[in-house]
Amino acid sequence: PHLLSICERFVVSGRAITRETFVRAHRAVADSAAAEEASQLTFFEQITAIAAWVFADAEVDVALYEVGLGGRLDSTRAIPADIGVVTGIGIDHCEFLGDTLELIAKEKAGIFRRDCPAIIGLSATPEVRTVLASAAEVVGSHVRWVGSEHSARVPDLLALGSHQRENAAAAIAVLQALRERGLHLDEERCSVGLANATFAGRLQQVDDCLWVDGAHNAHAAQALAQAIDTWQAGATLIVGMSAGKDMHGFLAPLLGHFGRCIVTQASSERAAPMSELADAAQALGMANVGIVPTVSLAIEKARASSPGKPILVTGSLFTVADALAALNPGAVDPIALSDPSSAA
């Protein structure tokens, strides 16, 4: 999900498109020859069609699409692709993708295409890498492992966390594949681009004391815990999750890094009840657990009670969005546009 504006979902040459461009793209999709079919598209299917229009209109040299859910049946699968990349896999969206890493890996492998590179990242476990490689071979895709030769070329990054270095290694493997397909990419400029890349809502430092991160499953929580391992004592965890997520699995790697936990709830219809989340934190042994009804109030309380100490807001991109909106209300879309809670 986007954080403040739906325009964030469409980036051309490093900049999100304007609201005017978004409106033009939406109208173009709605007014297309397949208008009757377009009216039946799901929210994310419309987003995918709008992205295709935006990239074509901008005449981009390379278009990068991020899969919405899974891979095999995702709407981005309708877009021709020269390269497929899976960086890593965690347990999530089990009702749609399966409840084991192997089943989820099979769904993710649906993005691989015949006679095209299938790039498999370092974040994937050996078992997952095996499943992905097998699925790639079935469709006739050429497996490429991200390895030490790619890791060695990762520069110092602004993006925090060892998992981002693994992601950067995968990006280097993609750049190599693009060069082989005839695209001129200057090595030094690519290195500078990687070094300076930042990701809104991904261990983003908002000010001297406040960080936000959209982690929402156990796999992401483990990576986040490693990234904040050196934080000083007395840090506050502000957490709000979506319903149906593995609360215990998410909280277990994190709670030992914080002196207290404030449970809150994002302004999203998907938000999990605060009482359930607080019970999960207490069941894991966290003694200092409080409940505050909104993200903005939770941040205010954390700042007032522990001035100068680190604060981390996490558990859901919706929770992160509320935190950023509270600090920058003018950037928020006047009408909220997001996937309905019943959507896959």
Side-chain angles (χ1 to χ4, degrees), residues 116-309:
C116 295
I119 295 175
I120 301 174
L122 292 165
S123 300
T125 64
E127 295 79 10
V128 166
R129 287 162 73 93
T130 299
V131 173
L132 290 171
S134 176
E137 290 169 0
V138 167
V139 301
S141 191
H142 310 307
V143 175
R144 295 200 178 184
W145 307 103
V146 179
S148 57
E149 69 275 19
H150 303 107
S151 299
R153 293 162 57 192
V154 174
D156 292 335
L157 303 176
L158 287 180
L160 302 176
S162 60
H163 59 294
Q164 295 292 15
R165 295 195 63 80
E166 294 177 346
N167 290 337
I172 287 172
V174 172
L175 293 170
Q176 180 179 322
L178 287 171
R179 289 190 185 97
E180 293 171 5
R181 299 179 90 81
L183 190 68
H184 175 70
L185 294 165
D186 181 78
E187 185 86 28
E188 184 176 350
R189 293 183 68 182
C190 289
S191 181
V192 170
L194 273 175
N196 290 283
T198 57
F199 304 91
R202 307 291 183 179
L203 204 51
Q204 175 185 352
Q205 185 170 3
V206 178
D207 58 33
D208 289 343
C209 299
L210 180 64
W211 282 259
V212 297
D213 189 273
H216 56 274
N217 58 36
H219 179 79
Q222 289 167 0
L224 178 57
Q226 290 177 354
I228 62 173
D229 192 47
T230 59
W231 277 17
Q232 65 194 73
T236 298
L237 174 67
I238 298 176
V239 60
M241 299 188 71
S242 294
K245 300 297 182 181
D246 177 8
M247 296 178 181
H248 288 81
F250 177 80
L251 291 170
L254 290 172
L255 290 181
H257 296 270
F258 296 91
R260 67 171 179 157
C261 173
I262 299 177
V263 170
T264 189
Q265 190 173 47
S267 55
S268 163
E269 58 184 3
R270 303 188 193 185
M274 291 180 287
S275 58
E276 290 184 17
L277 192 51
D279 289 346
Q282 291 169 339
L284 288 167
M286 189 69 176
N288 192 358
V289 180
I291 294 178
V292 177
T294 68
V295 178
S296 59
L297 288 176
I299 293 173
E300 289 180 17
K301 182 171 183 178
R303 289 190 193 278
S305 56
S306 300
K309 299 293 185 180

Side-chain angles (χ1 to χ4, degrees), residues 86-110:
V86 178
T87 54
I89 291 175
I91 297 290
D92 206 357
H93 302 294
C94 297
E95 66 273 32
F96 304 110
L97 306 180
D99 57 3
T100 68
L101 287 175
E102 289 73 20
L103 288 172
I104 295 171
K106 289 180 180 178
E107 291 291 327
K108 296 283 188 180

Side-chain angles (χ1 to χ4, degrees), residues 31-55:
D31 295 341
S32 67
E36 184 175 347
E37 289 79 1
S39 66
Q40 304 301 315
L41 296 178
T42 66
F43 177 84
F44 193 78
E45 287 168 347
Q46 292 181 67
I47 291 297
T48 303
I50 289 170
W53 186 93
V54 166
F55 293 151

